[in-house]
Amino acid sequence: MTSTIEHPPDVAAPVARPRARWLPASAGQALVWFAVVALVVGPFFPLVYSSLRSKPIYLPGGTFTLGAYRTLFADPLFLQAVLNTVWFAVGTTVLAVAGGTALAILCTRTNLPGRRAYRLLLMAPIVIPPLGLIVGWLAIYGQGGYITQLVSQNLQLPVWNLSSIPGMSLLGAVIIIPIVYLTVQAALAGTGSSLEDAARSAGAGPWRVITRVTLPMLRPAILNCTVLIFALCLEILGIPLFLGTPSNIDFYASYLYRSWSSGATPDPSFVSAGAVLLLVVVSGLLILRAKLSGSEQRFIAVSARGGGTYRPLDLGRWRWPASVGLGAYIGITCVIPLLGLVLMSGVKALTTLEAPWHLFTAENWQLVATDPTMRRSITNSLLIAGGGGAATVLLVALATLVAHRSGFPLRRTLAPALIYPRAVPGVILGIGFFWTYLMFTPGALVRNNLWGELIALCVRNLTLAYVVIYPSLARINAEFDRAARSSGAGWWTIARRILLPVLRPALLAAFVLMFITLLSDYDPVVFLQKTGTEVLGVTMLQTWQKGIVGPVAALAVVQVVIVAIMLLLGARVLRRLRRA
Amino acid sequence: MPDIQVEHLSKSFSGTKVLDDVTFTVKDKEFVTLLGPSGCGKTTTLMSIAGFQTPDEGRIACGDDTFVDRAARVDLAAERRNLGIVFQSYAVWPHMTVAQNVAFPLRVRKMGRPAVRARVAEVLALVELSALADRYPHQLSGGQQQRVALARAIAYSPAVLLLDEPFSNLDAKLRERARDWLKELQHTLGLTTVFVTHDQDEAISMSDRILVMNGGRILREGTPEEVYRQPRVRFVAEFLGQCNFLTGAICTGPDGGVVLKTAEFGDGIAVLEHHAGPSGTIAVRPEDIEISPAAEPGAAGNGPEGTVLGATYLGDHFQYRVAVGMVRLSVRSQRPLAQGPVRVRIPPGVGTFVE
C-alpha cells in the first residue's frame, strides 16, 4: 500500500508559471463587474443629460438649458403634487412606524396567543402583488366598494373616503408595515431580552418595561427605518394612480407619469428634470440613513446579547382582546380585500343592492382568456419573471462572489452597486432606461421589445437577490475556498464546484423572491411599454384608467394565484434541498 | 521532495509588524513545527507559504520553484503551488461525499476517471475511511472529518504538507490518538511537513525540529530536546512548560567550571555552559530541582533551606510551591512532603543560561 503511495500518481502536474494573484480569473471577474456597474449606473447619465437639453435627444439641434427645471417649478400642479406627496409620506410613515413597532413587540415579546402564526401572516403584504392589494381594497373600501356601499346605502351612515390623502396613507401603511415589522424585530432579536428581564426583576410591570426599556432601546432602529420609509413613500405610483384619480390627487410619481403619457409634447424633458430632483432627494435621505445605521450598529454592539430562556411579558386580561384585534387587522387589511378581488372578477357590477350570485358573470375571465393584450401580458410577465429572475440570480450570485470572495481590484465597489437600484425610485430608473435605449446603439436592440423591459425590471430588483445571497455567502467558511485553491482550483472552478453548489438553497430562495417581485412590479416599465410588450402591472393600470375594472380584478387574481403557487413550490423544493 | 526555503519574510498589517525577518529552511521529509502564542506570526508564515497571504518582503521557494519573491515581483497563485493543506476547520466541503472531496484535487488536474477512482480508494484506505467513502461530511465525527481533510490534502502527492492547528477542534483523548497517527503517516509517506500549533506538547511529541515564534520573529530553532533543554530565551523557556529563573553573579567554581551565585544559593549552582559577562540568569525546570525534608539525616549537604508553601497533587507527581529566601520556586517531585522546612538542591548542569 504505502509503496505505491510514495510514488506520485500519473498526474500531469500543472506547470507552475509565475503570475499575479488575481490574473487567471480576472477577465471573467471584470466582465461581471462591468455588467453590474454598467446596468446600474448607466441609465443615470442619459437621464441627467436629457433633463438639461432643450429638445428631446432624438430631435436635431437643442442646447443645454435649465429650462426643464424652470417649467417644472412653474407648474402649479407639480407643486401641488409635491405637497400631496409630503403629506402622504408623513401620514404613511407615522402610521406604518407606529403600527409595525407595536406589532413587532406584540409578536416577539409578549404572550399574545397565536403569535407564531401572526408572525408569518403579517408578512402577507410583501408577497401579495401590490396592485392586487390595491384593487382589492378598492373593491371593498373604495368609493363604490362593497363595504362602503353596505355602510352608506344599506345603513345610511356617513362613510370614509379612501381616495383622500389620509385614506391613501392608511393603505400605504398597510403595504409598508411588514418592512417596519422586520426591521424592529431584527433589532429586538439583536438585543435579546436580558435588559427587559432586568427591569422586570427590578419590579416593573409589562407596560412600564415596554415604555421605559424596550422602546428607548429600539430608538435607533425606529429612526433608521422611519427615514427609509419616508424615502419609499416619495416614489409610490400605484396608490395615487388607482386611488387618487377619482379625487384628482396626484403624487410626485403619478404626476411624472401623467405628464409623460398625456403631455402635449412627446417625451417632455421636465419629466426627466423631475426624476433627477427626486433622485437627489431620495439619495440624500439614504445617505442620512446610512449615517444613522452606523450609530445603530454601535448601539447594538455595546448592549448585552440575551441568552438562555426568556419569559414573554404577560399581557394579562388584554391577551385575548389583543389577539382577536390582530386577527381582525389581518382579516380587514388582507383577507377581505383578496376575497373582494375574487368577487369583483366574477360579477357584472359591484353592488350591495342585489345578491352577488345574481350578478355572476364569466365575462371578465373570458376577456382575460381571449383578449390578445391581456393574454400577452400574462405570458410576457411569466417570461420576465422566469427568465429574468433566473438570469438575475445568476448574475447577482457571480457578482456577490466577485465582491466578497475574489481578489478583483474593484470588488469593493460592487456591494453598493448591488444595493443602489432598489433604493432608486422605479419610475426614475424607468425614465433612465428609456433615454439609454434611445441614446446608445446597443440600446436600440432592446428598444420597443420585451428585452428592454426585462432589463429595467431586473436591474431595479436585483438588490433583492443580493440581500438573500450575501448573508448565506458570508456564513460559508473562507477556508472552503482556500482548501479548493490549495487543491489547485482557480476562481471559476471554486465558484462553479464549491461556492455555488453550497449556496443552492439561497439561490433558490433568491429566485422565488425575484420571480414574485418581477411578476408584480411595474414602476420601471410604465415608460417603456409598447404594443406587444405588455406586462401584467401596466396592462392592469391602463385598463383600469379606461374604467374597465372587472378584468383588472381577474388579472390581479391571476397574479395572486401564480405567486401563491410559486411560494408553495419554492418552499417545498427548499425543504428538500435543506434536508439533502 | 524538495526543501522549502523561507528567507527574510516581513509583513505589516496597518503599521504592526506581524512578520519580522523570518528565515528558515525545511528539509526534505522533515517535520517542522512553528510554535508560538496566538498573534506570533506562525499562521501568517504558513499562509504565506500556502499563497493566501503575500509578504511585504522576502522570498519563499520550494525546490526550484519560487513561490514568492518580492524583490523579483514573483507571486505564484495559491492554486499553482501544489501544496496540501489541512485547515483548522478542516474545510471539508459539505455538498460532496468523502470520496468526492478527496477526488476534487485529482479532477481539477484532469486525471482520468479510473485513475481517480483507484487513487481515491488508495488514499481513503490509508486514512482508514474506506467504509465511509459515500458519506456526507455532516454524517462524520470531528476526527473523521479531519482524516478526510488529510486524505484530500495528500491525494495528489503534494510537494509539501501544511497543517494549520489541525487538532484544536478535537477533544483531548482523540487529539492524542490523532497526533500519533498523523506522525506515523507522515513518517511512512516521507512527507515534508510544516505544522502550526500553540500547543507545546504537540510540538515536542511530533516534530523533527521546532521554531518558536513570538512577535513575528523566530526566537529559537532546534530539535524538541534542544529547545526544551536549552531554550536560550526566557520567553521560549516559559512557553515550553513551566520554568524557574534565577539571576546571580557568574563565578568560577573550584573545578574551574561556571558557577552562578545568588543570595539564596550562596554556594553557587554549577552550570555546564559558558557565559560572558559578570552576571546572568539561568532557567531550571521544576522537575530538575530536588527537595528533601530538612530533618532528614545528611540534609545539610542538600543545598539551602526553604519552606513548602503549598502543594498540588497531580496524579503522577506533586507540584510544590517553595520559598527560598526571596525567591519562589516551582518544584515537581514524586515525594509527598508536608508543609514546612525543606532542603532545596539544584544539581549541576540542569540550569541553562537564558537572555
Side-chain angles (χ1 to χ4, degrees):
Chain A
M1 177 94 268
T2 50
S3 63
T4 57
I5 278 284
E6 275 170 11
H7 299 291
D10 300 326
V11 180
V15 192
R17 254 185 301 131
R19 283 207 209 170
R21 175 77 45 81
W22 48 268
L23 259 175
S26 75
Q29 291 170 359
L31 203 69
V32 171
W33 180 86
F34 181 77
V36 170
V37 171
L39 283 170
V40 169
V41 182
F44 296 108
F45 295 105
L47 174 67
V48 174
Y49 180 76
S50 69
S51 79
L52 293 170
R53 299 294 291 180
S54 59
K55 283 183 181 177
I57 300 168
Y58 49 79
L59 292 180
T63 49
F64 279 101
T65 169
L66 285 174
Y69 293 87
R70 255 178 257 128
T71 317
L72 196 64
F73 281 105
D75 188 352
L77 289 176
F78 172 71
L79 299 177
Q80 187 58 49
V82 169
L83 214 60
N84 290 341
T85 309
V86 170
W87 280 122
F88 166 78
V90 169
T92 304
T93 308
V94 169
L95 283 175
V97 169
T101 308
L103 292 178
I105 293 176
L106 269 180
C107 287
T108 55
R109 284 292 204 263
T110 69
N111 62 349
L112 186 84
R115 54 188 179 276
R116 239 172 263 265
Y118 286 143
R119 270 177 225 162
L120 260 180
L121 288 172
L122 280 172
M123 294 299 103
I126 284 191
V127 289
I128 298 175
L131 279 188
L133 203 60
I134 292 175
V135 173
W137 267 64
L138 274 173
I140 297 294
Y141 311 114
Q143 223 64 40
Y146 211 74
I147 290 184
T148 320
Q149 286 187 40
L150 265 181
V151 175
S152 68
Q153 296 180 5
N154 300 39
L155 301 175
Q156 303 288 330
L157 291 171
V159 281
W160 55 84
N161 180 6
L162 193 64
S163 291
S164 62
I165 290 182
M168 290 192 263
S169 298
L170 192 68
L171 178 53
V174 166
I175 292 175
I176 279 174
I177 271 179
I179 300 177
V180 184
Y181 175 86
L182 284 175
T183 315
V184 173
Q185 192 209 33
L188 283 173
T191 49
S193 67
S194 54
L195 297 177
E196 283 138 320
D197 293 345
R200 273 200 285 177
S201 70
W207 181 247
R208 189 180 282 266
V209 170
I210 287 175
T211 52
R212 298 298 294 277
V213 180
T214 313
L215 280 177
M217 221 166 55
L218 286 173
R219 215 162 37 198
I222 291 175
L223 196 63
N224 176 324
C225 99
T226 302
V227 177
L228 173 72
I229 280 159
F230 192 83
L232 284 179
C233 288
L234 297 182
E235 59 151 318
I236 279 184
L237 176 66
I239 290 180
L241 279 186
F242 278 81
L243 271 62
T245 314
S247 46
N248 276 324
I249 296 178
D250 254 332
F251 290 177
Y252 204 114
S254 65
Y255 168 82
L256 294 185
Y257 172 70
R258 243 188 270 279
S259 312
W260 182 277
S261 53
S262 60
T265 51
D267 315 327
S269 54
F270 72 89
V271 172
S272 299
V276 171
L277 281 181
L278 184 55
L279 182 66
V280 170
V281 171
V282 169
S283 300
L285 284 172
L286 292 169
I287 290 170
L288 177 70
R289 175 169 176 260
K291 292 240 162 82
L292 287 175
S293 45
S295 62
E296 181 192 15
Q297 297 292 295
R298 274 203 303 279
F299 193 86
I300 288 176
V302 293
S303 67
R305 296 226 155 217
T309 52
Y310 120 91
R311 265 191 52 215
L313 294 171
D314 189 7
L315 290 176
R317 62 200 167 93
W318 291 104
R319 267 187 85 203
W320 285 102
S323 181
V324 171
L326 192 48
Y329 166 78
I330 291 168
I332 289 170
T333 58
C334 293
V335 180
I336 293 179
L338 282 185
L339 291 176
L341 207 57
V342 177
L343 179 74
M344 196 172 172
S345 73
V347 293
K348 289 196 197 82
L350 265 184
T351 171
T352 49
L353 301 176
E354 209 170 333
W357 48 89
H358 292 152
L359 295 168
F360 174 78
T361 173
E363 261 173 43
N364 297 330
W365 287 97
Q366 258 161 12
L367 193 68
V368 168
T370 53
D371 182 69
T373 306
M374 295 196 185
R375 287 179 59 160
R376 253 202 319 270
S377 51
I378 295 177
T379 48
N380 282 347
S381 277
L382 280 174
L383 271 177
I384 289 180
T392 312
V393 168
L394 186 68
L395 177 68
V396 172
L398 288 176
T400 311
L401 294 184
V402 172
H404 302 285
R405 292 293 176 92
S406 83
F408 188 67
L410 296 168
R411 62 185 181 278
R412 280 179 219 294
T413 55
L414 264 181
L418 287 168
I419 289 187
Y420 196 58
R422 188 69 192 174
V424 174
V427 281
I428 297 181
L429 206 66
I431 300 172
F433 271 110
F434 177 86
W435 290 119
T436 310
Y437 296 158
L438 267 177
M439 265 176 88
F440 299 109
T441 321
L445 295 175
V446 298
R447 192 165 71 222
N448 297 340
N449 62 35
L450 203 57
W451 290 101
E453 291 175 42
L454 182 140
I455 292 172
L457 280 169
C458 289
V459 169
R460 152 83 166 151
N461 291 301
L462 55 77
T463 306
L464 297 176
Y466 177 70
V467 297
V468 173
I469 294 171
Y470 171 58
S472 295
L473 180 67
R475 276 198 294 272
I476 298 178
N477 191 339
E479 288 191 347
F480 282 174
D481 315 22
R482 291 182 163 191
R485 281 190 72 185
S486 67
S487 300
W491 188 83
W492 281 105
T493 312
I494 298 172
R496 201 166 46 84
R497 301 278 305 277
I498 309 287
L499 292 175
L500 291 181
V502 176
L503 279 174
R504 251 179 341 207
L507 297 183
L508 181 78
F511 175 74
V512 171
L513 189 61
M514 282 303 289
F515 186 95
I516 62 178
T517 311
L518 289 175
L519 191 77
S520 42
D521 196 16
Y522 56 92
D523 302 19
V525 290
V526 289
F527 300 101
L528 297 173
Q529 176 158 311
K530 295 276 175 341
T531 311
T533 67
E534 295 88 352
V535 296
L536 272 174
V538 184
T539 302
M540 288 159 73
L541 207 69
Q542 289 171 349
T543 314
W544 183 274
Q545 281 177 329
K546 287 181 209 149
I548 309 166
V549 295
V552 174
L555 284 178
V557 171
V558 169
Q559 248 182 350
V560 171
V561 169
I562 295 175
V563 164
I565 292 174
M566 193 63 202
L567 281 176
L568 285 176
L569 269 180
R572 184 167 228 187
V573 179
L574 205 61
R575 217 173 302 135
R576 196 176 307 153
L577 270 184
R578 292 240 162 91
R579 217 180 297 135
Chain B
M1 282 188 194
D3 299 359
I4 307 172
Q5 288 139 20
V6 176
E7 292 163 12
H8 309 296
L9 230 51
S10 291
K11 187 170 180 68
S12 306
F13 285 124
S14 53
T16 316
K17 271 219 149 163
V18 289
L19 292 183
D20 188 2
D21 197 20
V22 171
T23 300
F24 63 92
T25 303
V26 183
K27 291 204 264 319
D28 188 20
K29 297 185 181 163
E30 198 179 24
F31 192 114
V32 168
T33 299
L34 301 175
L35 174 68
S38 54
C40 72
K42 58 190 192 299
T43 300
T44 310
T45 307
L46 193 80
M47 288 303 152
S48 300
I49 299 175
F52 298 118
Q53 304 224 352
T54 306
D56 298 337
E57 284 166 51
R59 180 175 177 274
I60 300 174
C62 182
D64 297 331
D65 294 334
T66 304
F67 282 176
V68 60
D69 186 345
R70 296 298 290 176
R73 295 181 173 278
V74 174
D75 188 359
L76 193 65
E79 59 267 32
R80 308 179 131 247
R81 295 191 183 193
N82 283 332
L83 303 167
I85 307 184
V86 177
F87 289 93
Q88 193 170 0
S89 67
Y90 315 140
V92 179
W93 302 306
H95 63 297
M96 295 185 186
T97 62
V98 168
Q100 285 167 340
N101 262 283
V102 177
F104 184 84
L106 306 172
R107 308 229 358 228
V108 166
R109 285 171 174 72
K110 307 258 184 283
M111 203 168 159
R113 258 169 209 283
V116 169
R117 209 172 305 130
R119 178 69 183 170
V120 167
E122 196 177 19
V123 176
L124 285 181
L126 196 70
V127 298
E128 296 158 22
L129 284 178
S130 301
L132 307 179
D134 295 321
R135 294 268 184 98
Y136 280 93
H138 66 93
Q139 298 166 311
L140 303 179
S141 70
Q144 287 165 339
Q145 286 194 29
Q146 189 213 29
R147 281 186 278 158
V148 176
L150 185 72
R152 186 178 64 191
I154 63 176
Y156 59 95
S157 299
V160 172
L161 182 63
L162 305 179
L163 306 170
D164 182 14
E165 310 223 11
F167 305 121
S168 59
N169 288 330
L170 299 179
D171 60 58
K173 262 273 173 290
L174 200 56
R175 191 181 297 198
E176 235 164 85
R177 241 185 328 168
R179 193 197 286 171
D180 296 343
W181 176 83
L182 179 65
K183 177 64 193 163
E184 200 184 302
L185 190 74
Q186 183 267 338
H187 189 74
T188 345
L189 300 185
L191 289 164
T192 308
T193 305
V194 182
F195 176 66
V196 158
T197 183
H198 62 263
D199 182 316
Q200 79 270 11
D201 291 340
E202 280 173 16
I204 290 172
S205 63
M206 296 179 73
S207 319
D208 296 324
R209 216 144 45 84
I210 297 177
L211 309 173
V212 184
M213 292 185 71
N214 192 36
R217 299 174 143 270
I218 295 177
L219 298 181
R220 178 78 170 101
E221 178 179 349
T223 63
E225 204 180 344
E226 284 168 354
V227 173
Y228 186 79
R229 301 269 32 139
Q230 292 157 341
R232 301 260 169 80
V233 186
R234 203 179 165 123
F235 175 85
V236 178
E238 278 177 320
F239 196 77
L240 283 117
Q242 282 181 307
C243 214
N244 300 295
F245 298 100
L246 296 160
T247 305
I250 308 230
C251 312
T252 310
D255 53 356
V258 177
V259 168
L260 183 90
K261 281 191 179 164
T262 71
E264 290 77 19
F265 293 85
D267 297 343
I269 304 160
V271 186
L272 304 180
E273 284 171 11
H274 288 287
H275 188 80
S279 67
T281 300
I282 59 166
V284 184
R285 296 281 174 200
E287 65 268 27
D288 291 333
I289 301 177
E290 296 171 2
I291 51 174
S292 48
E296 217 170 58
N302 288 344
E305 199 175 288
T307 314
V308 172
L309 300 175
T312 312
Y313 178 59
L314 290 171
D316 53 347
H317 66 267
F318 292 88
Q319 182 89 25
Y320 294 104
R321 277 172 296 126
V322 180
V324 182
M326 295 302 289
V327 287
R328 297 277 183 279
L329 294 176
S330 176
V331 180
R332 193 175 289 179
S333 168
Q334 286 176 335
R335 285 182 72 168
L337 292 168
Q339 289 198 357
V342 284
R343 290 283 172 182
V344 181
R345 176 172 178 266
I346 298 178
V350 299
T352 178
F353 284 109
V354 293
E355 284 165 20

